[in-house]
Structures are given as structure tokens and as C-alpha cells.
Amino acid sequence: YVQYKSILAFDLGFNTENILNINMQGNKSDVFLKKLEEIPGVADLSRSLIVTSVGNAWGGYMKYNDSRDSVLVMTNHVDENYLPLHQYKLAAGGNFMARPTTAKAATEVIVNQQLLKRFNIGNNDPEKAVGQQITFNNLQGTRKMTIVGVIKDFHYGKIDNLIGPVAFMHWTPEDRAVINAKIHSTNLLATRARIELAWKEIDSVHPFQAEFYVEAI
């Protein structure tokens, strides 16, 4: 019981309180976002490819100056609202800009401090790392990316996993969306029920799949 309470109170490096993660199950997220914005109690909304810190993982290989030296980097595709909603702490640089997912947006990356340490980018100085270029390779191909921000280290994996290099990339994977809804309400379950009713308006086939972050942890 003490261990269970310790896990729930553990500082992951970002905020999970009252965040409902909704699996879009292939539906277009833009349509559902508009419905959620109209529900009282839904304070903020963002989108991500996966829910971190509960065992999910996505990634690819990254290189810096030495083309022979690569490292596996864990990633998440997020929109410009994701970092503020979860209260990630920036060490340098800034957040993604609000704009359509374009070729330019796909070349911007926000990395953690462990990535700087792994490649000694800017002598591990976050300010000097902003503007540096890295090369990222995954199943979608290889591309050059520019570091626009550095976030303080956080637990991408479960809390008993070591913290390794992590990179956030601007939103692209519409077909695998997770909507992150920050609930500000005295009755979380009632607000969740209203969200489920809104879901049935856009998808009468798939059952509503949503879980509060702390439940998943």
C-alpha cells in the first residue's frame, strides 16, 4: 500500500492530474476537439501519438556530428498544446508554434537533457543546443531536424526504467491520435460521461476508450 501511494505521488517530471486520455480509434481528431471545446469542465486539450510513462514506446535512431555514432531515441508526436497542458519544464528554447503540419514543422524537434549529454551537444548547455541540427531515422525515412527547445528530463518509461534520450516532434500522425483532455470540474465522472456522449455523436460503432492518466499509472 505504501509503495502504491508512492508511485501515485511520484514526480514524473510533468503533470498528470485530471488528464483524460482518449483513444480516437482512427477517427479524425479535429471534429472531436470542436465538440470537447463546448463541454463545461474541459479546460485544455492537446493531441499525442502515445501516452508516456505507462509502458508505451515509439522511437527511432538519431545522429549528431559523427555519422557513425547513432543512438535509439524515444519519441512522441505532439501538438503545440501538449507541453503546456502537461506542464513540462523547458530548460531552453521554446515550444512548437501553432501551425499546420508542414514540411517545416516536421523538421523541428524538442529534446531532453539526456540527449544533449549523450552527444555532448553545446557542451551540455541547453541554450547552446538550440539551433543545432540532428539527423533522425525511423520507418518513415531519414530527415534533418533542428532543435528548437530543450526540456528537463522526465520519465518517458515506467518509473523503474532509466531516463534516456527523448525527443518530441510536432504533430503529424492523425490516424493514431490520442486526445489529452484536462478536466477542471468538481465532478470528474460527470464530465467524463458528457465526453462519452459527445463520442457517440461521432462514432456509434466503437466503444468509448478513455482513461485518466493516474488510472493508467
Side-chain angles (χ1 to χ4, degrees):
Y1 175 69
V2 172
Q3 187 180 49
Y4 172 71
K5 287 208 305 180
S6 176
I7 290 171
L8 290 184
F10 190 86
D11 182 7
L12 295 168
F14 63 98
N15 186 18
T16 60
E17 186 178 4
N18 297 345
I19 295 175
L20 183 68
N21 293 308
I22 306 162
N23 185 349
M24 287 306 297
Q25 303 178 70
N27 291 294
K28 295 291 185 182
S29 60
D30 289 340
V31 176
F32 195 48
L33 282 172
K34 287 183 172 61
K35 289 188 174 293
L36 292 178
E37 289 170 353
E38 299 171 359
I39 297 176
V42 177
D44 294 292
L45 295 161
S46 68
R47 291 175 292 183
S48 61
L49 173 65
I50 63 171
V51 177
T52 64
S53 306
V54 295
N56 301 321
W58 197 258
Y61 286 90
M62 195 169 283
K63 298 178 181 179
Y64 181 45
N65 284 333
D66 187 348
S67 62
R68 300 165 298 175
D69 181 26
S70 64
V71 66
L72 178 63
V73 176
M74 297 294 100
T75 64
N76 197 1
H77 291 258
V78 302
D79 67 10
E80 63 279 0
N81 300 314
Y82 183 87
L83 296 184
L85 185 148
H86 294 84
Q87 297 177 10
Y88 282 90
K89 301 174 181 67
L90 276 167
N95 188 19
F96 296 117
M97 293 178 60
R99 59 184 166 199
T101 301
T102 61
K104 182 176 181 180
T107 63
E108 294 180 344
V109 63
I110 295 173
V111 302
N112 72 342
Q113 293 168 308
Q114 283 296 316
L115 184 72
L116 304 191
K117 184 178 180 181
R118 170 60 179 79
F119 287 120
N120 193 29
I121 300 176
N123 292 322
N124 298 327
D125 183 343
E127 295 291 346
K128 293 180 181 178
V130 175
Q132 294 291 314
Q133 281 200 327
I134 52 89
T135 303
F136 182 73
N137 177 268
N138 63 2
L139 295 175
Q140 284 71 48
T142 302
R143 62 183 182 272
K144 291 279 188 182
M145 306 191 78
T146 301
I147 297 173
V148 297
V150 178
I151 57 169
K152 294 185 177 180
D153 288 336
F154 70 99
H155 284 265
Y156 177 101
K158 294 182 179 181
I159 62 174
D160 57 345
N161 298 144
L162 294 174
I163 297 178
V166 175
F168 283 115
M169 300 176 184
H170 197 253
W171 182 251
T172 50
E174 180 63 45
D175 60 326
R176 294 191 60 188
V178 175
I179 288 182
N180 327 110
K182 178 75 173 181
I183 310 298
H184 183 70
S185 170
T186 55
N187 192 330
L188 293 177
L189 295 181
T191 303
R192 186 188 186 283
R194 293 194 65 171
I195 293 173
E196 185 169 1
L197 287 175
W199 171 267
K200 291 177 180 177
E201 293 177 10
I202 69 159
D203 190 335
S204 59
V205 177
H206 297 97
F208 184 56
Q209 290 185 9
E211 190 173 30
F212 281 102
Y213 223 135
V214 292
E215 291 179 334
I217 291 171

